[in-house]
Amino acid sequence: AQKITQTQPGMFVQEKEAVTLDCTYDTSDPSYGLFWYKQPSSGEMIFLIYQGSYDQQNATEGRYSLNFQKARKSANLVISASQLGDSAMYFCAMSAAGGTSYGKLTFGQGTILTVHP
Amino acid sequence: DTGVSQDPRHKITKRGQNVTFRCDPISEHNRLYWYRQTLGQGPEFLTYFQNEAQLEKSRLLSDRFSAERPKGSFSTLEIQRTEQGDSAMYLCASSSQPYNEQFFGPGTRLTVL
């Protein structure tokens, strides 16, 4: 079974500053993927970034980077230079990379990020 | 628009009625997933398809729930004899490969009165 834990129900950040959203995971699968999604108040789920468990380097996508620490089972999202439009709910998710559950996403509870001007 | 589409966007029904939702994935995606999201929670997996084959169903999916993807293109999710606890956002997602990111549709918000 897989489990994702996001311990920060809400986070606040000043515009143009960086913010880190925490995510820890638990799995018995030897190979897996980690994802971050953004869900604005409008409701759509927007893919942000992906990290494979065997990737040697941390993933980056524009202002988003994923701080992957495999031994600690953490996959924190770092947003640099926050913008007002970053205010949203953020979900960490994971998927096994094999077996019958290959591709199925398990989500955390989410963190609400508020960016102040 | 070539993204994932869902219909209807909103559905209000009375307890005991049957409802059916439709999802049209991105055309070249052979994987299609259904999730359910209640207010303030992360989405929970319901079921998924590889082409027309339904490969896994969650224990959340009671006998009142059925999903199909008859020709490996669009999918339908039917809920029979709806209950108030079925009120949620039903999300559909698709991907081209199981290890690729999933693209989500706008969701169908179900309210059972």
Side-chain angles (χ1 to χ4, degrees):
Chain A
Q2 300 175 333
K3 185 176 181 181
I4 294 282
T5 302
Q6 296 180 252
T7 57
Q8 306 156 314
M11 289 286 286
F12 295 88
V13 66
Q14 206 71 26
E15 194 178 9
K16 300 180 184 176
E17 291 185 348
V19 63
T20 298
L21 305 184
D22 294 341
C23 172
T24 57
Y25 62 91
D26 192 20
T27 182
S28 55
D29 295 303
S31 182
Y32 49 89
L34 295 156
F35 302 79
W36 277 91
Y37 282 84
K38 172 184 178 181
Q39 189 175 42
S41 56
S42 53
E44 75 272 26
M45 296 284 286
I46 302 167
F47 166 74
L48 295 178
I49 195 166
Y50 164 81
Q51 177 86 41
S53 60
Y54 287 104
D55 292 342
Q56 296 296 315
Q57 291 189 322
N58 287 343
T60 60
E61 288 286 350
R63 295 186 299 111
Y64 304 108
S65 60
L66 199 153
N67 183 1
F68 180 47
Q69 298 187 44
K70 193 170 183 177
R72 297 179 60 185
K73 294 189 174 181
S74 74
N76 298 340
L77 177 70
V78 180
I79 305 174
S80 63
S82 297
Q83 302 172 356
L84 295 178
D86 294 335
S87 294
M89 177 75 93
Y90 288 80
F91 290 101
C92 180
M94 75 177 303
S95 138
T100 57
S101 296
Y102 193 6
K104 178 183 84 173
L105 290 175
T106 299
F107 285 86
Q109 297 282 75
T111 296
I112 299 174
L113 176 66
T114 303
V115 181
H116 289 302
Chain B
D1 184 17
T2 57
V4 178
S5 62
Q6 292 186 246
D7 184 69
R9 295 291 304 277
H10 303 273
K11 179 71 177 179
I12 300 174
T13 191
K14 293 183 178 179
R15 189 177 54 182
Q17 298 294 305
N18 298 344
V19 294
T20 300
F21 309 142
R22 176 179 170 127
C23 171
D24 286 89
I26 294 172
S27 60
E28 63 268 24
H29 287 183
N30 53 24
R31 281 247 173 166
L32 187 148
Y33 304 82
W34 285 99
Y35 296 87
R36 181 171 67 186
Q37 186 179 24
T38 52
L39 200 60
Q41 303 295 314
E44 295 174 296
F45 170 79
L46 293 179
T47 188
Y48 81 90
F49 294 83
Q50 172 86 22
N51 298 313
E52 65 274 11
Q54 187 174 20
L55 298 186
E56 187 174 343
K57 292 171 60 174
S58 164
R59 286 171 292 178
L60 294 173
L61 220 62
S62 75
D63 292 344
R64 298 183 297 105
F65 288 72
S66 63
E68 293 182 342
R69 195 183 182 196
K71 296 182 180 179
S73 55
F74 72 92
S75 175
T76 58
L77 178 68
E78 181 183 15
I79 309 174
Q80 296 182 326
R81 305 181 303 282
T82 52
E83 302 173 355
Q84 288 184 326
D86 297 331
S87 295
M89 176 75 87
Y90 290 83
L91 295 167
C92 176
S94 70
S95 68
S96 57
Q97 297 290 343
Y99 48 82
N100 283 5
E101 67 270 24
Q102 295 176 23
F103 293 88
F104 282 78
T108 294
R109 182 168 296 283
L110 174 65
T111 302
V112 182
L113 302 176

CSV table of all heavy atoms in Angstrom, one decimal, chain A residues 35 37 39 42-47 50 89 91 95-97 99-110, chain B residues 9 31 33 35 37 40-45 48 55-56 89 91 97-107:
chain,number,residue,atom,x,y,z
A,35,PHE,N,4.6,12.9,-8.0
A,35,PHE,CA,4.0,13.9,-8.8
A,35,PHE,C,3.5,15.1,-7.8
A,35,PHE,O,3.1,14.8,-6.7
A,35,PHE,CB,2.7,13.4,-9.5
A,35,PHE,CG,3.0,12.3,-10.5
A,35,PHE,CD1,3.1,11.0,-10.0
A,35,PHE,CD2,3.1,12.5,-11.8
A,35,PHE,CE1,3.4,9.9,-10.8
A,35,PHE,CE2,3.3,11.4,-12.7
A,35,PHE,CZ,3.5,10.1,-12.2
A,37,TYR,N,0.6,18.2,-8.2
A,37,TYR,CA,-0.5,18.8,-8.9
A,37,TYR,C,-1.0,20.1,-8.2
A,37,TYR,O,-0.9,20.1,-7.0
A,37,TYR,CB,-1.7,17.9,-9.1
A,37,TYR,CG,-1.5,16.8,-10.1
A,37,TYR,CD1,-0.8,15.6,-9.8
A,37,TYR,CD2,-2.0,17.0,-11.4
A,37,TYR,CE1,-0.6,14.6,-10.8
A,37,TYR,CE2,-1.8,16.0,-12.4
A,37,TYR,CZ,-1.2,14.8,-12.1
A,37,TYR,OH,-1.0,13.9,-13.0
A,39,GLN,N,-4.3,22.7,-7.8
A,39,GLN,CA,-5.7,22.7,-8.0
A,39,GLN,C,-6.2,24.1,-7.6
A,39,GLN,O,-6.4,24.4,-6.4
A,39,GLN,CB,-6.5,21.7,-7.2
A,39,GLN,CG,-8.0,21.6,-7.6
A,39,GLN,CD,-8.7,20.4,-6.9
A,39,GLN,OE1,-8.4,20.1,-5.7
A,39,GLN,NE2,-9.5,19.7,-7.6
A,42,SER,N,-10.9,27.1,-9.2
A,42,SER,CA,-11.8,26.7,-10.3
A,42,SER,C,-11.9,25.2,-10.3
A,42,SER,O,-12.9,24.7,-11.0
A,42,SER,CB,-11.3,27.2,-11.6
A,42,SER,OG,-9.9,26.9,-11.7
A,43,GLY,N,-11.0,24.4,-9.7
A,43,GLY,CA,-11.2,23.0,-9.6
A,43,GLY,C,-10.4,22.1,-10.5
A,43,GLY,O,-10.3,20.9,-10.1
A,44,GLU,N,-9.8,22.6,-11.5
A,44,GLU,CA,-9.1,21.7,-12.4
A,44,GLU,C,-7.8,21.3,-11.8
A,44,GLU,O,-7.1,22.1,-11.1
A,44,GLU,CB,-8.9,22.3,-13.8
A,44,GLU,CG,-7.8,23.4,-13.9
A,44,GLU,CD,-8.4,24.8,-13.6
A,44,GLU,OE1,-9.4,24.9,-12.9
A,44,GLU,OE2,-7.7,25.7,-14.1
A,45,MET,N,-7.3,20.1,-12.0
A,45,MET,CA,-6.0,19.6,-11.5
A,45,MET,C,-5.0,19.8,-12.6
A,45,MET,O,-5.1,19.3,-13.7
A,45,MET,CB,-6.1,18.1,-11.2
A,45,MET,CG,-7.1,17.7,-10.1
A,45,MET,SD,-6.4,18.1,-8.5
A,45,MET,CE,-5.2,16.8,-8.3
A,46,ILE,N,-3.9,20.5,-12.2
A,46,ILE,CA,-2.9,20.9,-13.2
A,46,ILE,C,-1.6,20.2,-12.8
A,46,ILE,O,-1.1,20.4,-11.7
A,46,ILE,CB,-2.7,22.4,-13.2
A,46,ILE,CG1,-4.0,23.1,-13.6
A,46,ILE,CG2,-1.6,22.8,-14.2
A,46,ILE,CD1,-4.0,24.6,-13.3
A,47,PHE,N,-1.0,19.4,-13.7
A,47,PHE,CA,0.2,18.7,-13.4
A,47,PHE,C,1.4,19.7,-13.4
A,47,PHE,O,1.5,20.6,-14.2
A,47,PHE,CB,0.5,17.7,-14.5
A,47,PHE,CG,1.9,17.2,-14.6
A,47,PHE,CD1,2.3,16.3,-13.6
A,47,PHE,CD2,2.8,17.7,-15.5
A,47,PHE,CE1,3.6,15.8,-13.6
A,47,PHE,CE2,4.1,17.2,-15.5
A,47,PHE,CZ,4.5,16.3,-14.6
A,50,TYR,N,7.3,16.0,-12.1
A,50,TYR,CA,7.4,14.5,-11.8
A,50,TYR,C,8.8,14.1,-11.5
A,50,TYR,O,9.7,14.7,-12.0
A,50,TYR,CB,7.0,13.8,-13.1
A,50,TYR,CG,7.4,12.3,-13.1
A,50,TYR,CD1,6.6,11.3,-12.5
A,50,TYR,CD2,8.5,11.9,-13.8
A,50,TYR,CE1,7.0,10.0,-12.5
A,50,TYR,CE2,8.9,10.6,-13.8
A,50,TYR,CZ,8.2,9.6,-13.1
A,50,TYR,OH,8.5,8.3,-13.1
A,89,MET,N,-4.6,25.0,-4.0
A,89,MET,CA,-4.4,23.8,-3.3
A,89,MET,C,-3.3,23.0,-4.1
A,89,MET,O,-3.4,22.9,-5.3
A,89,MET,CB,-5.6,23.0,-3.2
A,89,MET,CG,-5.5,21.7,-2.4
A,89,MET,SD,-5.3,21.8,-0.7
A,89,MET,CE,-7.0,21.6,-0.2
A,91,PHE,N,-1.3,19.3,-4.3
A,91,PHE,CA,-1.4,17.9,-3.9
A,91,PHE,C,-0.1,17.2,-4.4
A,91,PHE,O,0.4,17.3,-5.5
A,91,PHE,CB,-2.5,17.2,-4.6
A,91,PHE,CG,-3.9,17.6,-4.1
A,91,PHE,CD1,-4.7,18.5,-4.8
A,91,PHE,CD2,-4.3,17.1,-2.9
A,91,PHE,CE1,-5.9,18.9,-4.3
A,91,PHE,CE2,-5.6,17.5,-2.3
A,91,PHE,CZ,-6.4,18.4,-3.1
A,95,SER,N,2.7,7.0,-7.5
A,95,SER,CA,2.2,5.9,-8.3
A,95,SER,C,3.3,4.8,-8.3
A,95,SER,O,4.5,5.1,-8.4
A,95,SER,CB,1.9,6.3,-9.7
A,95,SER,OG,2.3,5.4,-10.6
A,96,ALA,N,2.9,3.6,-8.2
A,96,ALA,CA,3.8,2.5,-8.4
A,96,ALA,C,4.3,2.4,-9.8
A,96,ALA,O,3.5,2.9,-10.7
A,96,ALA,CB,3.2,1.1,-8.0
A,97,ALA,N,5.5,1.9,-10.1
A,97,ALA,CA,6.0,1.9,-11.4
A,97,ALA,C,6.0,0.4,-11.9
A,97,ALA,O,6.9,0.0,-12.6
A,97,ALA,CB,7.3,2.5,-11.5
A,99,GLY,N,3.4,-3.6,-11.7
A,99,GLY,CA,2.3,-4.3,-11.1
A,99,GLY,C,1.0,-3.8,-11.6
A,99,GLY,O,0.9,-2.9,-12.4
A,100,THR,N,-0.1,-4.4,-10.9
A,100,THR,CA,-1.4,-4.0,-11.4
A,100,THR,C,-1.8,-2.6,-11.0
A,100,THR,O,-2.7,-2.0,-11.6
A,100,THR,CB,-2.4,-5.0,-10.7
A,100,THR,OG1,-2.3,-4.9,-9.3
A,100,THR,CG2,-2.2,-6.4,-11.1
A,101,SER,N,-1.1,-2.0,-10.1
A,101,SER,CA,-1.4,-0.6,-9.7
A,101,SER,C,-0.6,0.4,-10.4
A,101,SER,O,-0.5,1.6,-10.1
A,101,SER,CB,-1.3,-0.4,-8.2
A,101,SER,OG,-2.2,-1.2,-7.5
A,102,TYR,N,0.1,0.0,-11.5
A,102,TYR,CA,1.0,0.8,-12.3
A,102,TYR,C,0.2,2.0,-12.8
A,102,TYR,O,-0.7,1.8,-13.6
A,102,TYR,CB,1.6,0.0,-13.4
A,102,TYR,CG,2.8,0.6,-14.1
A,102,TYR,CD1,3.4,1.8,-13.7
A,102,TYR,CD2,3.3,-0.1,-15.2
A,102,TYR,CE1,4.5,2.3,-14.4
A,102,TYR,CE2,4.4,0.4,-15.9
A,102,TYR,CZ,5.0,1.6,-15.5
A,102,TYR,OH,6.1,2.1,-16.2
A,103,GLY,N,0.6,3.2,-12.4
A,103,GLY,CA,0.0,4.4,-12.9
A,103,GLY,C,-1.1,4.9,-12.0
A,103,GLY,O,-1.4,6.1,-12.1
A,104,LYS,N,-1.7,4.1,-11.2
A,104,LYS,CA,-2.7,4.6,-10.3
A,104,LYS,C,-2.1,5.6,-9.3
A,104,LYS,O,-1.1,5.3,-8.6
A,104,LYS,CB,-3.4,3.4,-9.5
A,104,LYS,CG,-4.4,3.8,-8.5
A,104,LYS,CD,-4.9,2.6,-7.8
A,104,LYS,CE,-4.0,2.2,-6.7
A,104,LYS,NZ,-4.5,1.1,-5.8
A,105,LEU,N,-2.8,6.8,-9.1
A,105,LEU,CA,-2.2,7.8,-8.3
A,105,LEU,C,-2.9,7.7,-6.9
A,105,LEU,O,-4.1,7.6,-6.7
A,105,LEU,CB,-2.5,9.2,-8.8
A,105,LEU,CG,-1.7,9.6,-10.1
A,105,LEU,CD1,-2.1,10.9,-10.6
A,105,LEU,CD2,-0.2,9.6,-9.8
A,106,THR,N,-2.0,7.8,-5.9
A,106,THR,CA,-2.4,8.0,-4.5
A,106,THR,C,-2.1,9.4,-4.1
A,106,THR,O,-0.9,9.8,-4.2
A,106,THR,CB,-1.7,7.0,-3.5
A,106,THR,OG1,-2.1,5.7,-4.0
A,106,THR,CG2,-2.2,7.2,-2.1
A,107,PHE,N,-3.0,10.2,-3.6
A,107,PHE,CA,-2.9,11.6,-3.3
A,107,PHE,C,-2.7,11.8,-1.8
A,107,PHE,O,-3.3,11.1,-1.0
A,107,PHE,CB,-4.0,12.4,-3.8
A,107,PHE,CG,-4.1,12.6,-5.3
A,107,PHE,CD1,-4.6,11.6,-6.1
A,107,PHE,CD2,-3.5,13.7,-5.9
A,107,PHE,CE1,-4.6,11.8,-7.5
A,107,PHE,CE2,-3.5,13.9,-7.2
A,107,PHE,CZ,-4.1,13.0,-8.1
A,108,GLY,N,-2.1,12.9,-1.4
A,108,GLY,CA,-2.1,13.4,-0.1
A,108,GLY,C,-3.3,14.3,0.2
A,108,GLY,O,-4.2,14.4,-0.7
A,109,GLN,N,-3.3,14.8,1.4
A,109,GLN,CA,-4.5,15.7,1.8
A,109,GLN,C,-4.5,17.0,1.2
A,109,GLN,O,-5.5,17.8,1.2
A,109,GLN,CB,-4.5,15.8,3.3
A,109,GLN,CG,-4.7,14.5,4.0
A,109,GLN,CD,-6.2,14.0,4.0
A,109,GLN,OE1,-6.7,13.6,2.9
A,109,GLN,NE2,-6.9,14.1,5.1
A,110,GLY,N,-3.3,17.5,0.7
A,110,GLY,CA,-3.2,18.8,0.1
A,110,GLY,C,-2.7,19.9,1.1
A,110,GLY,O,-2.9,19.7,2.3
B,9,ARG,N,-21.0,18.9,-16.2
B,9,ARG,CA,-20.1,19.6,-15.2
B,9,ARG,C,-20.7,19.5,-13.8
B,9,ARG,O,-20.0,19.4,-12.8
B,9,ARG,CB,-19.8,21.0,-15.6
B,9,ARG,CG,-19.0,21.1,-16.9
B,9,ARG,CD,-17.6,20.6,-16.8
B,9,ARG,NE,-16.9,21.3,-15.7
B,9,ARG,CZ,-16.3,22.5,-15.8
B,9,ARG,NH1,-16.3,23.1,-17.0
B,9,ARG,NH2,-15.7,23.1,-14.8
B,31,ARG,N,-4.7,5.1,-21.5
B,31,ARG,CA,-5.1,4.9,-20.1
B,31,ARG,C,-6.1,6.0,-19.7
B,31,ARG,O,-5.9,7.2,-20.0
B,31,ARG,CB,-3.8,5.1,-19.3
B,31,ARG,CG,-2.9,3.9,-19.3
B,31,ARG,CD,-2.9,3.3,-17.9
B,31,ARG,NE,-2.2,2.0,-17.8
B,31,ARG,CZ,-1.9,1.4,-16.7
B,31,ARG,NH1,-2.1,2.0,-15.6
B,31,ARG,NH2,-1.3,0.2,-16.7
B,33,TYR,N,-8.5,7.1,-16.2
B,33,TYR,CA,-8.7,6.9,-14.7
B,33,TYR,C,-9.9,7.6,-14.3
B,33,TYR,O,-10.2,8.7,-14.7
B,33,TYR,CB,-7.5,7.4,-14.0
B,33,TYR,CG,-6.2,6.8,-14.4
B,33,TYR,CD1,-5.5,7.3,-15.5
B,33,TYR,CD2,-5.6,5.8,-13.6
B,33,TYR,CE1,-4.2,6.7,-15.8
B,33,TYR,CE2,-4.3,5.2,-14.0
B,33,TYR,CZ,-3.7,5.7,-15.1
B,33,TYR,OH,-2.5,5.2,-15.4
B,35,TYR,N,-11.4,9.2,-10.6
B,35,TYR,CA,-11.2,9.5,-9.2
B,35,TYR,C,-12.4,10.2,-8.6
B,35,TYR,O,-13.2,10.8,-9.3
B,35,TYR,CB,-9.9,10.4,-9.0
B,35,TYR,CG,-8.6,9.9,-9.5
B,35,TYR,CD1,-8.2,10.0,-10.8
B,35,TYR,CD2,-7.8,9.2,-8.6
B,35,TYR,CE1,-7.0,9.4,-11.2
B,35,TYR,CE2,-6.5,8.7,-9.0
B,35,TYR,CZ,-6.2,8.8,-10.3
B,35,TYR,OH,-5.0,8.3,-10.7
B,37,GLN,N,-13.3,13.0,-5.5
B,37,GLN,CA,-12.8,14.0,-4.5
B,37,GLN,C,-13.9,14.6,-3.7
B,37,GLN,O,-14.8,15.2,-4.3
B,37,GLN,CB,-12.0,15.1,-5.3
B,37,GLN,CG,-11.3,16.0,-4.4
B,37,GLN,CD,-10.5,17.1,-5.1
B,37,GLN,OE1,-10.7,17.4,-6.3
B,37,GLN,NE2,-9.4,17.6,-4.5
B,40,GLY,N,-12.2,19.4,0.5
B,40,GLY,CA,-11.0,19.5,1.4
B,40,GLY,C,-10.1,18.3,1.4
B,40,GLY,O,-9.2,18.2,2.2
B,41,GLN,N,-10.4,17.3,0.5
B,41,GLN,CA,-9.6,16.1,0.5
B,41,GLN,C,-8.9,15.9,-0.9
B,41,GLN,O,-9.3,16.5,-1.8
B,41,GLN,CB,-10.5,14.8,0.7
B,41,GLN,CG,-11.3,14.9,2.0
B,41,GLN,CD,-10.4,14.8,3.2
B,41,GLN,OE1,-9.5,14.0,3.3
B,41,GLN,NE2,-10.7,15.7,4.2
B,42,GLY,N,-7.9,15.1,-0.9
B,42,GLY,CA,-7.3,14.7,-2.1
B,42,GLY,C,-8.1,13.7,-2.9
B,42,GLY,O,-9.0,13.0,-2.3
B,43,PRO,N,-8.0,13.6,-4.2
B,43,PRO,CA,-8.7,12.7,-5.0
B,43,PRO,C,-8.4,11.2,-4.6
B,43,PRO,O,-7.3,10.9,-4.2
B,43,PRO,CB,-8.2,12.9,-6.4
B,43,PRO,CG,-7.7,14.3,-6.4
B,43,PRO,CD,-7.1,14.5,-5.1
B,44,GLU,N,-9.4,10.4,-4.6
B,44,GLU,CA,-9.3,9.0,-4.3
B,44,GLU,C,-9.5,8.2,-5.6
B,44,GLU,O,-10.5,8.4,-6.3
B,44,GLU,CB,-10.2,8.5,-3.2
B,44,GLU,CG,-10.0,9.2,-1.9
B,44,GLU,CD,-11.1,8.8,-0.9
B,44,GLU,OE1,-12.3,9.2,-1.2
B,44,GLU,OE2,-10.8,8.1,0.1
B,45,PHE,N,-8.7,7.2,-5.8
B,45,PHE,CA,-8.8,6.4,-7.0
B,45,PHE,C,-10.0,5.5,-7.0
B,45,PHE,O,-10.4,4.9,-5.9
B,45,PHE,CB,-7.5,5.5,-7.1
B,45,PHE,CG,-7.6,4.4,-8.1
B,45,PHE,CD1,-7.4,4.6,-9.4
B,45,PHE,CD2,-7.9,3.1,-7.7
B,45,PHE,CE1,-7.5,3.6,-10.4
B,45,PHE,CE2,-8.0,2.1,-8.7
B,45,PHE,CZ,-7.8,2.3,-10.0
B,48,TYR,N,-9.6,2.2,-13.3
B,48,TYR,CA,-8.9,2.6,-14.5
B,48,TYR,C,-9.0,1.6,-15.6
B,48,TYR,O,-9.2,0.4,-15.4
B,48,TYR,CB,-7.4,3.0,-14.2
B,48,TYR,CG,-6.4,1.9,-14.1
B,48,TYR,CD1,-5.7,1.5,-15.3
B,48,TYR,CD2,-6.1,1.3,-12.9
B,48,TYR,CE1,-4.8,0.5,-15.2
B,48,TYR,CE2,-5.2,0.3,-12.8
B,48,TYR,CZ,-4.5,-0.1,-14.0
B,48,TYR,OH,-3.5,-1.1,-13.9
B,55,LEU,N,-8.8,-2.6,-15.6
B,55,LEU,CA,-7.8,-3.3,-15.0
B,55,LEU,C,-7.8,-3.4,-13.4
B,55,LEU,O,-7.3,-4.3,-12.8
B,55,LEU,CB,-6.4,-2.8,-15.4
B,55,LEU,CG,-6.1,-2.9,-16.9
B,55,LEU,CD1,-4.7,-2.5,-17.2
B,55,LEU,CD2,-6.4,-4.4,-17.4
B,56,GLU,N,-8.4,-2.4,-12.8
B,56,GLU,CA,-8.5,-2.4,-11.4
B,56,GLU,C,-9.7,-1.5,-10.9
B,56,GLU,O,-10.0,-0.5,-11.5
B,56,GLU,CB,-7.2,-1.8,-10.8
B,56,GLU,CG,-7.1,-1.9,-9.2
B,56,GLU,CD,-5.8,-1.5,-8.6
B,56,GLU,OE1,-4.8,-1.4,-9.4
B,56,GLU,OE2,-5.7,-1.3,-7.4
B,89,MET,N,-16.9,15.4,-6.2
B,89,MET,CA,-16.5,15.7,-7.5
B,89,MET,C,-15.9,14.4,-8.1
B,89,MET,O,-15.1,13.8,-7.5
B,89,MET,CB,-15.4,16.8,-7.4
B,89,MET,CG,-14.8,17.1,-8.8
B,89,MET,SD,-15.9,18.1,-9.8
B,89,MET,CE,-15.4,19.8,-9.2
B,91,LEU,N,-13.7,13.0,-10.9
B,91,LEU,CA,-12.6,13.4,-11.9
B,91,LEU,C,-12.2,12.3,-12.8
B,91,LEU,O,-12.0,11.2,-12.4
B,91,LEU,CB,-11.4,13.9,-11.1
B,91,LEU,CG,-11.6,15.1,-10.2
B,91,LEU,CD1,-10.4,15.3,-9.2
B,91,LEU,CD2,-11.7,16.4,-11.0
B,97,GLN,N,1.0,6.8,-21.2
B,97,GLN,CA,1.7,5.6,-20.6
B,97,GLN,C,1.4,5.6,-19.2
B,97,GLN,O,1.2,6.7,-18.6
B,97,GLN,CB,3.2,5.7,-20.9
B,97,GLN,CG,3.6,5.7,-22.4
B,97,GLN,CD,3.4,4.4,-23.0
B,97,GLN,OE1,3.3,3.4,-22.4
B,97,GLN,NE2,3.3,4.4,-24.4
B,98,PRO,N,1.5,4.5,-18.5
B,98,PRO,CA,1.2,4.4,-17.1
B,98,PRO,C,2.2,5.3,-16.3
B,98,PRO,O,1.9,5.7,-15.2
B,98,PRO,CB,1.3,2.9,-16.7
B,98,PRO,CG,2.0,2.3,-17.9
B,98,PRO,CD,1.7,3.1,-19.1
B,99,TYR,N,3.4,5.5,-16.7
B,99,TYR,CA,4.4,6.2,-15.9
B,99,TYR,C,4.4,7.7,-16.3
B,99,TYR,O,5.1,8.5,-15.7
B,99,TYR,CB,5.8,5.6,-16.2
B,99,TYR,CG,6.2,5.5,-17.6
B,99,TYR,CD1,6.6,6.5,-18.4
B,99,TYR,CD2,6.1,4.2,-18.2
B,99,TYR,CE1,7.0,6.3,-19.7
B,99,TYR,CE2,6.4,4.0,-19.5
B,99,TYR,CZ,6.9,5.1,-20.3
B,99,TYR,OH,7.2,4.9,-21.6
B,100,ASN,N,3.6,8.1,-17.2
B,100,ASN,CA,3.5,9.5,-17.6
B,100,ASN,C,2.5,10.2,-16.7
B,100,ASN,O,1.6,9.6,-16.1
B,100,ASN,CB,3.1,9.7,-19.0
B,100,ASN,CG,4.2,9.4,-20.0
B,100,ASN,OD1,5.3,9.0,-19.6
B,100,ASN,ND2,4.0,9.6,-21.3
B,101,GLU,N,2.6,11.6,-16.7
B,101,GLU,CA,1.6,12.4,-16.0
B,101,GLU,C,0.2,12.2,-16.5
B,101,GLU,O,0.0,11.9,-17.7
B,101,GLU,CB,2.0,13.9,-16.0
B,101,GLU,CG,1.9,14.5,-17.4
B,101,GLU,CD,3.2,14.4,-18.2
B,101,GLU,OE1,4.0,13.5,-17.9
B,101,GLU,OE2,3.3,15.3,-19.0
B,102,GLN,N,-0.7,12.3,-15.6
B,102,GLN,CA,-2.1,12.2,-16.0
B,102,GLN,C,-2.7,13.6,-16.2
B,102,GLN,O,-2.4,14.5,-15.4
B,102,GLN,CB,-2.9,11.4,-14.9
B,102,GLN,CG,-2.5,10.0,-14.7
B,102,GLN,CD,-3.1,9.3,-13.6
B,102,GLN,OE1,-4.2,9.6,-13.2
B,102,GLN,NE2,-2.5,8.2,-13.2
B,103,PHE,N,-3.5,13.7,-17.2
B,103,PHE,CA,-4.1,15.0,-17.5
B,103,PHE,C,-5.6,14.9,-17.0
B,103,PHE,O,-6.3,13.9,-17.5
B,103,PHE,CB,-4.0,15.3,-19.0
B,103,PHE,CG,-2.6,15.6,-19.4
B,103,PHE,CD1,-1.8,14.6,-19.8
B,103,PHE,CD2,-2.1,16.9,-19.4
B,103,PHE,CE1,-0.5,14.9,-20.2
B,103,PHE,CE2,-0.8,17.2,-19.8
B,103,PHE,CZ,0.0,16.2,-20.2
B,104,PHE,N,-6.0,15.8,-16.2
B,104,PHE,CA,-7.3,15.7,-15.6
B,104,PHE,C,-8.3,16.6,-16.4
B,104,PHE,O,-8.0,17.6,-16.9
B,104,PHE,CB,-7.3,16.2,-14.2
B,104,PHE,CG,-6.7,15.2,-13.2
B,104,PHE,CD1,-5.4,15.0,-13.1
B,104,PHE,CD2,-7.6,14.4,-12.4
B,104,PHE,CE1,-4.9,14.0,-12.3
B,104,PHE,CE2,-7.1,13.5,-11.6
B,104,PHE,CZ,-5.7,13.3,-11.5
B,105,GLY,N,-9.6,16.1,-16.4
B,105,GLY,CA,-10.7,16.9,-16.9
B,105,GLY,C,-11.2,17.8,-15.8
B,105,GLY,O,-10.7,17.8,-14.7
B,106,PRO,N,-12.2,18.6,-16.1
B,106,PRO,CA,-12.7,19.6,-15.2
B,106,PRO,C,-13.5,19.0,-14.1
B,106,PRO,O,-13.8,19.7,-13.1
B,106,PRO,CB,-13.5,20.6,-16.1
B,106,PRO,CG,-14.0,19.7,-17.2
B,106,PRO,CD,-12.9,18.7,-17.4
B,107,GLY,N,-13.9,17.8,-14.2
B,107,GLY,CA,-14.7,17.1,-13.2
B,107,GLY,C,-16.2,17.3,-13.3
B,107,GLY,O,-16.7,18.2,-14.0
